[in-house]
Amino acid sequence: MKNRRSGKQMGFSLVEVAVALVILGVIFGATVQVYHSVNESKLRSQTQTEMEKVAKALVGFAEQYYRLPCPDTTQDGVENCGGTAVTGTVPFHTLGLFTSSQASDVIKGHQNILYGVYRGTGEDLTELTEETGDAPGDQNYQTLGDLKQKLMDYLGSSGPGLVSSQPYVTGDQRNTGDEDCSGNRVANGAFILAGAVTDANGDGNDFDGVNEGVTPDGGGSVCFASPTRQSDADYNDLVRLMSFSELLGQLSN
């Protein structure tokens, strides 16, 4: 007797295959989204750590040399004080920071953090000057007290207010107003750091938003995004502003 096949076809129908592919696509998409989210969170944490390390090193430099370093405008890790540039990258060799050749460190390490420092007339924080009237040879001539006095002069009633030629932050699109470098200059900083997490807007520049205008060679904008600006689809940089009062408070007695 011949075996008769059942009326039902063996295997999967086209509808079943299509449903399975849709389900797999949804699972794959969700997995990729989770991966990107976790990876971005990891990079954000690494960048935040590097920026705090740099901020601490800058304060330490100020305590040792009674001034802040100039920006690195040639990307060799050494400060460049010969010109008038107020922005560039972190002078990591000058600060004594270790740099690694590992890819992850090169991309997100302190050597690629943008750095702006206040070099205003009469209150150039990169210059060691006598501010308290001591004569050469005196014990207190050009000491940490002079840097503190310079900071206090800026904070005093005779301070210059916001100076648009010096590094400043703009609004955060919420509490401090619009993100507008020409129409909403919020505050100068003793120094400002900007770190890129990922190229959120996909334009080939790791930095996003107004930070794209701040160039490593010091020839670009002096306007940084606000430290309180929220991340969105086109922006996920981190910004650290140390105010004159915060720096004054962190300097040892």
Side-chain angles (χ1 to χ4, degrees):
M1 180 180 292
K2 294 183 178 180
N3 290 329
R4 293 179 179 269
R5 289 195 175 193
S6 170
K8 294 183 179 180
Q9 293 182 341
M10 302 295 290
F12 298 102
S13 69
L14 292 177
V15 173
E16 291 171 326
V17 171
V19 171
L21 289 175
V22 169
I23 294 173
L24 288 174
V26 171
I27 294 174
F28 177 77
T31 301
V32 170
Q33 187 174 9
V34 169
Y35 170 78
H36 283 309
S37 178
V38 171
N39 189 53
E40 182 176 330
S41 178
K42 178 182 177 181
L43 291 175
R44 176 173 289 274
S45 178
Q46 289 176 344
T47 304
Q48 184 70 54
T49 298
E50 290 293 339
M51 290 175 65
E52 288 305 319
K53 186 188 300 182
V54 170
K56 184 177 181 180
L58 287 166
V59 173
F61 183 95
E63 290 182 326
Q64 183 174 0
Y65 297 104
Y66 318 137
R67 67 178 183 88
L68 288 171
C70 300
D72 171 15
T73 57
T74 55
Q75 286 65 69
D76 60 359
V78 179
E79 66 174 340
N80 301 112
C81 293
T84 59
V86 297
T87 60
T89 53
V90 171
F92 56 91
H93 280 314
T94 300
L95 291 173
L97 292 171
F98 173 75
T99 182
S100 170
S101 61
Q102 294 181 6
S104 61
D105 290 336
V106 170
I107 294 170
K108 300 301 168 193
H110 43 251
Q111 62 267 39
N112 289 322
I113 293 174
L114 295 174
Y115 168 58
V117 60
Y118 194 91
R119 302 183 70 183
T121 303
E123 282 149 347
D124 185 343
L125 300 184
T126 67
E127 286 187 353
L128 173 57
T129 54
E130 175 56 40
E131 303 292 327
T132 56
D134 297 298
D138 291 347
Q139 182 179 1
N140 294 321
Y141 179 72
Q142 293 189 347
T143 63
L144 184 60
D146 294 295
L147 174 57
K148 288 183 175 182
Q149 186 61 52
K150 189 178 292 188
L151 294 170
M152 287 188 287
D153 288 344
Y154 176 91
L155 294 168
S157 58
S158 60
L162 191 139
V163 179
S164 61
S165 63
Q166 301 302 311
Y168 64 88
V169 295
T170 183
D172 63 3
Q173 301 183 7
R174 299 180 300 128
N175 300 327
T176 56
D178 294 338
E179 186 176 62
D180 183 352
C181 287
S182 60
N184 188 23
R185 301 181 178 107
V186 175
N188 292 121
F191 65 80
I192 305 174
L193 303 172
V197 179
T198 63
D199 179 14
N201 59 12
D203 66 351
N205 186 328
D206 281 345
F207 290 91
D208 301 320
V210 300
N211 292 333
E212 291 187 8
V214 183
T215 57
D217 64 2
S221 171
V222 298
C223 173
F224 289 78
S226 171
T228 56
R229 189 198 193 287
Q230 293 184 329
S231 296
D232 55 39
D234 296 318
Y235 178 90
N236 62 8
D237 290 354
L238 293 172
V239 176
R240 171 76 161 93
L241 179 147
M242 183 165 288
S243 66
F244 289 75
S245 58
E246 183 182 1
L247 178 57
L248 180 61
Q250 291 207 23
L251 295 176
S252 61
N253 295 322

